[in-house]
Amino acid sequence: MKPKVLLDKVGFWCATAVTSAALMLSIAPMTASAVNIPTEVTELGKDTYKKYCSPCHGEEGKGDGPLARSMLPKPRDFTRGAYKFRTTPSGSLPTDEDIYRTISYGVPNSTMIPWDILTEEQRVSVIPVLKSFSEAFEVRKPDAPVTVGLPLRPTERALTEGKKIYEEKLECWKCHGVEGRGDGPSAAEQEDDFGFPIKPFDFTTGKFKGGNSAQDVYLRFTTGLNGTPMPSFAKELTDEERWCLTYYVMSLIKPEETKK
Amino acid sequence: MKLIYILSILFAFLCCNLISSKDILADNKYSEIEVPDGGTIIGNVKYMGELAAVGLNLYRGWELSDTSKLNSEKLVFSKVNNGLKNAVVSLKDITQGKKTIIPPVHPIIDQQNNNFIPHTIAIVSGTTVDFLNGDEQMHNIHTRSARNQPFNLGTTYKQRISKTFDYPEIIKLTCDLHKNAYAWIVVLDHPYFDTTDRNGYFEICDIPPGTYTFQVWHEELGNLEKEVTVRPKETTTIEFVYSQN
């Protein structure tokens, strides 16, 4: 074989390898799984927690920091291991990635800001500290994340189907109201596991607490919100019905409300 | 050949590890033995508190006592003998005894007319409970357990949900859509327990002879304890009285 041909061949394969690697990287979702999450509590984690988290969540993670009194919704009490925004089934503990996601993106409509002002290393180091507050993490393991089916196309038919589920099958309006303003007949008496009053979510604002994508909304009523009255509907809905409900709920957003 | 030996030794080692770790995880103090001459305890749980003789107390005059507790299932007792319903009687700190039988037919908690039926059940750990919805409307089942995995599931008409409870705990079950509805699941790690019937009666049998502490739990009235000696092949009658409110 002539050296030039050899060079060509090697060059071609190199280029193919580089391209495919680049493709793989771009296809792989940019989730927290790319981040290295420590398993042990580190000094950095303790420091970060004390400085940035404990003013609201308390030194021992009981959700009773000095600033917590004036807040509603209350800062989360970590001692129960009940986390709202997860990809795991109802009642299960969250995965490390779920906790990382909430820290990084924050919770809209609450005092939990997106903590992207911290470095990735700092954010990640807090996770073992949060887990150390609850003995639930020693007794139980998080279940496997639920599988999200392929998205349906948001057609007119999907919306009518979703409306039927919202109003007749699951009776979401009992808490969230017919127009999705969070003013249903049972709304006023809701309270969370810690005994604090809790407001059903107002869909018209469009600031979904667990994320604004269709997949996030899908996950919220599939997994439920631990520690709140919001149940999981994993047993009730087929995959198609869930997408219909997702699109219907997202269609309740009122543009003029989102600007407030 | 050598490789096979090494591998087999490694495999055996791994197996041992697995088995021992399982034993630690099980965390079970209760051991099963043959009980050929077990004794039986039967008895009655009574409520003699302030609300006990409501409707019978002629000296109260027009000032009726607070009956708000009576309208719910918080405090249900018989008008005839003041026997308390929905109390759970169990043996405390029993280490060995009869074989634990996990019921193959799952106990049921049904939701009818916005209420949980039955109100209290006692089960041995490992039992699967079926939750039904008999109403033509939406309900949810919300538990707040710590060791057993909590759950909050929405149910529609004729839905059946099965859940297994593996650790001893007292679990409250609520429906967030109907604030008055709640139920209790008492999970125990041994088979010596009973829930009182509507006249407050209970029966626990096949207890190995000896002296035990009996415990009654009631959601509203709390715990009561009593030391009782169980004699072989004999039936002993005991009585628990809640006199406070």
Side-chain angles (χ1 to χ4, degrees):
Chain A
M1 211 179 271
K2 281 178 191 169
K4 203 185 166 221
V5 178
L6 191 72
L7 198 69
D8 272 3
K9 269 214 163 150
V10 171
F12 172 73
W13 284 116
C14 278
T16 321
V18 168
T19 339
S20 56
L23 261 175
M24 291 280 270
L25 272 181
S26 64
I27 289 169
M30 293 300 283
T31 52
S33 52
V35 188
N36 224 347
I37 294 168
T39 47
E40 296 289 317
V41 178
T42 54
E43 278 305 307
L44 174 73
K46 275 186 190 167
D47 284 351
T48 315
Y49 182 83
K50 200 167 182 197
K51 198 167 177 190
Y52 298 103
C53 312
S54 67
C56 300
H57 290 285
E59 298 263 321
E60 281 154 18
K62 288 180 185 164
D64 59 351
L67 300 179
R69 273 186 68 184
S70 58
M71 290 174 183
L72 204 73
K74 292 280 174 207
R76 184 99 303 207
D77 177 349
F78 296 121
T79 53
R80 292 261 192 104
Y83 288 75
K84 283 184 184 173
F85 309 109
R86 292 160 294 106
T87 51
T88 52
S90 175
S92 165
L93 297 170
T95 62
D96 289 356
E97 286 79 16
D98 293 336
I99 304 177
Y100 179 75
R101 203 209 67 88
T102 307
I103 297 172
S104 306
Y105 289 79
V107 182
N109 272 336
S110 79
T111 32
M112 176 79 180
I113 60 161
W115 287 98
D116 47 7
I117 48 170
L118 302 180
T119 63
E120 189 178 289
E121 203 189 349
Q122 280 176 312
R123 274 180 270 157
V124 160
S125 67
V126 175
I127 296 170
V129 182
L130 301 189
K131 283 162 80 174
S132 71
F133 291 132
S134 171
E135 57 182 19
F137 283 95
E138 289 159 27
V139 189
R140 294 186 269 133
K141 290 260 177 303
D143 289 354
V146 295
T147 45
V148 180
L150 277 177
L152 214 71
R153 275 176 53 212
T155 52
E156 200 62 33
R157 193 190 65 81
L159 286 182
T160 13
E161 195 77 6
K163 191 175 161 84
K164 214 183 271 174
I165 295 165
Y166 187 91
E167 284 174 2
E168 286 160 33
K169 190 171 178 189
L170 297 187
E171 297 173 354
C172 310
W173 58 271
K174 277 201 172 158
C175 296
H176 291 285
V178 181
E179 285 180 19
R181 287 183 189 274
D183 56 355
S186 302
E189 59 190 22
Q190 298 303 321
E191 58 179 42
D192 65 7
D193 282 10
F194 310 97
F196 295 113
I198 190 168
K199 248 189 93 189
F201 185 68
D202 180 353
F203 296 123
T204 57
T205 60
K207 292 168 193 152
F208 290 98
K209 292 192 172 181
N212 267 347
S213 73
Q215 192 185 343
D216 288 327
V217 179
Y218 175 103
L219 274 174
R220 290 297 82 76
F221 55 72
T222 309
T223 65
L225 268 63
N226 284 359
T228 76
M230 176 68 193
S232 151
F233 296 108
K235 296 249 166 155
E236 298 296 334
L237 299 177
T238 64
D239 195 54
E240 198 184 312
E241 284 174 320
R242 285 181 213 177
W243 284 114
C244 295
L245 184 58
T246 303
Y247 293 130
Y248 180 69
V249 161
M250 291 180 86
S251 77
L252 292 172
I253 300 171
K254 296 242 172 359
E256 66 272 15
E257 293 281 340
T258 57
K259 284 168 199 152
K260 276 178 191 169
Chain B
M1 206 60 204
K2 226 178 186 178
L3 192 73
I4 293 172
Y5 275 127
I6 292 169
L7 275 177
S8 61
I9 288 167
L10 261 175
F11 183 68
F13 185 64
L14 266 175
C15 280
C16 283
N17 259 355
L18 273 179
I19 290 162
S20 61
S21 65
K22 237 183 192 170
D23 279 347
I24 293 163
L25 277 178
D27 184 26
N28 205 351
K29 281 182 284 177
Y30 184 77
S31 58
E32 290 169 2
I33 52 160
E34 286 282 314
V35 189
D37 53 352
T40 304
I41 294 286
I42 58 169
N44 194 358
V45 182
K46 278 187 175 166
Y47 171 70
M48 302 294 263
E50 203 183 309
L51 299 166
V54 126
L56 291 175
N57 193 343
L58 299 174
Y59 299 104
R60 270 181 188 279
W62 294 105
E63 270 180 58
L64 292 173
S65 56
D66 175 27
T67 50
S68 62
K69 278 183 183 169
L70 292 174
N71 295 332
S72 68
E73 281 200 82
K74 260 183 192 167
L75 197 62
V76 182
F77 53 85
S78 162
K79 288 257 159 50
V80 181
N81 64 348
N82 281 329
L84 187 68
K85 197 188 172 187
N86 291 331
V88 177
V89 185
S90 63
L91 262 76
K92 206 179 163 191
D93 302 328
I94 187 165
T95 49
Q96 49 185 13
K98 67 179 171 186
K99 199 167 170 275
T100 307
I101 297 166
I102 291 167
V105 179
H106 300 166
I108 283 173
I109 292 190
D110 197 358
Q111 272 171 300
Q112 285 178 13
N113 298 324
N114 309 342
N115 247 323
F116 286 100
I117 298 168
H119 188 66
T120 308
I121 61 165
I123 54 172
V124 65
S125 51
T127 308
T128 307
V129 180
D130 280 10
F131 299 97
L132 312 184
N133 182 353
D135 283 345
E136 284 187 5
Q137 58 169 323
M138 185 78 204
H139 284 305
N140 73 338
I141 306 159
H142 188 169
T143 67
R144 292 161 169 79
S145 48
R147 288 198 74 191
N148 293 289
Q149 178 149 314
F151 56 88
N152 182 3
L153 297 167
T155 59
T156 46
Y157 184 43
K158 285 187 177 171
Q159 173 69 272
R160 179 185 278 256
I161 290 168
S162 305
K163 285 278 169 190
T164 308
F165 297 90
D166 286 327
Y167 303 101
E169 204 172 13
I170 295 173
I171 302 166
K172 190 178 183 181
L173 207 72
T174 55
C175 169
D176 293 298
L177 290 165
H178 308 97
K179 277 286 155 195
N180 295 328
Y182 66 95
W184 295 90
I185 300 175
V186 182
V187 191
L188 294 141
D189 57 357
H190 58 77
Y192 292 106
F193 60 83
D194 198 7
T195 318
T196 54
D197 63 9
R198 64 198 175 100
N199 288 322
Y201 290 109
F202 64 89
E203 180 180 351
I204 301 174
C205 57
D206 287 336
I207 311 167
T211 306
Y212 300 98
T213 311
F214 277 70
Q215 183 178 289
V216 198
W217 172 88
H218 187 265
E219 52 166 305
E220 188 70 14
L221 304 168
N223 288 327
L224 273 187
E225 278 179 16
K226 198 175 227 180
E227 287 241 328
V228 180
T229 307
V230 180
R231 292 182 200 86
K233 291 193 172 174
E234 264 184 46
T235 305
T236 316
T237 312
I238 56 171
E239 190 178 75
F240 292 97
V241 181
Y242 280 104
S243 49
Q244 86 281 17
N245 239 329

